[in-house]
DNA sequence: GATTTATAGTGAAAAAAATCACAAAAAAAC
DNA sequence: GTTTTTTTGTGATTTTTTTCACTATAAATC
């Protein structure tokens, strides 16, 4: 039961959700592997490790599988999330439709200069950074997104920790250090692009098909 | 020389750039490790593997180090990149300032319905998807970003491949398969958030400080 | 200029992760 | 109802990745 395996399980769950809404009922380790980008053996091994079993020659029942994964990984109830930083990235995330489907709700955005933003119909409201603490404490919010410039990221992190945020996705292009008190997932958009560029410029595309994904195919 | 190691080298380069602009001249494996989120041993091992050496008790000269890394990984000349999809994410990336510093230039965006967008001062222009192929071929662009809804992603990928794009960062929440002809880096924003949520909901924050980063501390 | 100290460098060991190879069983075909 | 086929399940093996434990060396100190 390692970190990587857990992350894969999340991916399986995610993919299964999608397949489910597409109307699929049954799935083979093969198909799931393909959807997630790993090998079929890996899928079965992961399941085996967590005591998930299917039917020999019958594959897996998708809804039962989702059920099991939910039981294992904690059914994700609706999670309220705040964003700090109302710039390009922050705004995009505020408006992004993809979260809702997965039970994630962006409830507010905080910015140093909220006067720039006026609330439009159906949009997330932007508040002053000073209001973060009270808001987060009052609503017992545990998850936050950092979408501020590099220079402000560390300071914003401190604010969030003080407010009681426990998990963060950080989009500022600087690595923020997690702690026992707070899990941080650093996502560096520039680096994601640079990685691809590197592989292309150096003609290494033959070497790999995908990046970060560790499968055959 | 494995994929992970290459990606780490890219991270080192990135971090060194930042440290350099901040005025640092010298660095120890320790510091770099910390900036990137790995162990000092790992940094030294990676360097050793690629024949990069520093000075005993003197650390590494940052500019020389960058030089070496550039030599090794191909100096990144200005790279022109196109975006497909002018929605929330696409728009954010178009406006995002962070790319320029790293020699990445977003030169155009393509959308099914470009009439929604009117070009403003200093902004990237949005064109019809049909123009993608000619544009990309004419300017010999090799790198593209997919920022369309899930449903359209596969089709857009096909368009891009036909146009001669060789490397892609895909933000649609579906795994696109790379090939010998095209490297794909799938970035799933929802999943990044879900991963954090999972660790928090299950109280596993003690288990890890960071996600995707495999270091101590 | 000898001694101490901090840091790089690296082969060896350990740990982690992935893959293989094959058994078990259910379904399908005959 | 027997045989074949397909797919799961998993111990064993291999490969990959990381860490350890130590040496070498340059700088700093005394």
């Amino acid at each position: 039961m390692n970190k990587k395996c857990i992350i894969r399980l999340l991916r399986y769950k995610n993919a299964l959700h999608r397949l489910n809404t597409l109307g699929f009922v049954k799935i083979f380790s093969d198909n799931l592997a393909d959807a997630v980008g790993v090998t079929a053996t890996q899928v079965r091994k992961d399941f085996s490790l967590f005591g998930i079993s299917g039917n020999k020659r019958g594959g897996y029942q998708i809804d039962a599988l989702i059920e099991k994964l939910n039981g294992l990984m904690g059914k994700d109830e609706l999670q309220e999330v705040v964003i700090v930083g109302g710039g390009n990235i922050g705004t995009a995330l505020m408006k992004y439709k993809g979260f809702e489907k997965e039970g994630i709700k962006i409830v507010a955005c905080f910015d140093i200069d909220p006067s720039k933003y006026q609330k439009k119909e159906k949009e997330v409201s932007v508040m002053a950074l000073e209001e973060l603490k009270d808001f987060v404490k009052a609503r017992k919010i545990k998850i936050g997104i950092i979408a501020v410039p590099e220079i402000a990221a560390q300071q914003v992190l401190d604010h969030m920790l003080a407010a009681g945020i426990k998990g963060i996705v950080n989009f500022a292009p600087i690595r923020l250090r997690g702690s026992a008190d707070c899990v941080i997932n650093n996502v560096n958009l520039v680096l994601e692009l640079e990685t691809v560029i590197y592989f292309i410029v150096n003609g290494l595309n033959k070497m790999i098909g995908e990046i970060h994904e560790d499968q055959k195919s």
Side-chain angles (χ1 to χ4, degrees), chain A:
Chain A
M1 199 219 332
N2 55 50
K3 199 155 78 182
K4 271 199 180 164
C5 175
I6 289 175
I7 289 172
R8 277 200 303 271
L9 286 183
L10 276 169
R11 285 179 184 260
Y12 299 148
K13 201 171 79 156
N14 219 271
L16 288 166
H17 259 137
R18 259 190 303 117
L19 291 164
N20 207 23
T21 38
L22 287 173
F24 288 87
V25 169
K26 204 174 74 170
I27 198 171
F28 299 119
S29 56
D30 243 17
N31 315 135
L32 187 54
D34 209 51
V36 169
V38 298
T39 62
T41 310
Q42 180 104 69
V43 171
R44 294 203 301 273
K45 191 83 201 220
D46 286 343
F47 284 180
S48 160
L49 232 56
F50 281 85
I52 294 172
S53 61
N55 316 300
K56 297 245 163 90
R57 205 191 157 138
Y60 305 81
Q61 209 69 19
I62 291 186
D63 49 7
L65 200 46
I66 291 176
E67 203 59 35
K68 273 182 193 160
L69 284 170
N70 277 341
L72 217 57
M73 333 215 25
K75 179 97 186 292
D76 32 24
E77 309 105 18
L78 185 77
Q79 279 291 336
E80 299 199 322
V81 175
V82 296
I83 298 177
V84 178
N88 298 321
I89 306 286
T91 307
L93 294 173
M94 268 190 269
K95 294 182 188 164
Y96 188 58
K97 300 290 188 304
F99 292 129
E100 212 164 328
K101 255 186 301 197
E102 300 297 329
I104 294 167
K105 180 153 195 220
I106 309 292
V107 291
C109 178
F110 297 87
D111 198 283
I112 327 173
D113 182 9
S115 68
K116 280 186 300 192
Y117 310 88
Q118 53 229 38
K119 189 180 175 175
K120 302 193 192 87
E121 265 321 290
K122 294 201 297 178
E123 266 183 24
V124 174
S125 61
V126 180
M127 294 181 256
L129 193 51
E130 295 89 58
E131 300 181 61
L132 174 73
K133 194 165 176 177
D134 287 347
F135 186 94
V136 163
K137 277 197 191 285
R139 302 187 51 160
K140 295 193 171 52
I141 290 167
K142 292 282 163 277
I143 314 289
I145 293 173
I146 296 180
V148 300
E150 179 184 345
I151 189 81
Q154 182 61 53
Q155 200 184 359
V156 163
L157 171 59
D158 296 340
H159 275 290
M160 289 170 102
L161 291 178
I165 295 278
K166 295 295 179 202
I168 291 173
V169 179
N170 169 43
F171 287 95
I174 181 177
R175 175 189 166 240
L176 296 178
R177 235 175 259 84
S179 67
D181 219 44
C182 181
V183 174
I184 298 187
N185 188 3
N186 291 292
V187 177
N188 188 331
L189 298 177
V190 176
L191 209 44
E192 298 297 343
L193 200 46
E194 283 189 302
T195 307
V196 170
I197 291 172
Y198 168 70
F199 282 103
I200 300 306
V201 168
N202 290 57
L204 293 174
N205 35 348
K206 268 106 211 174
M207 190 175 130
I208 46 150
E210 260 147 294
I211 293 166
H212 294 317
E213 318 276 338
D214 316 280
Q215 76 305 337
K216 282 249 183 74
S217 124

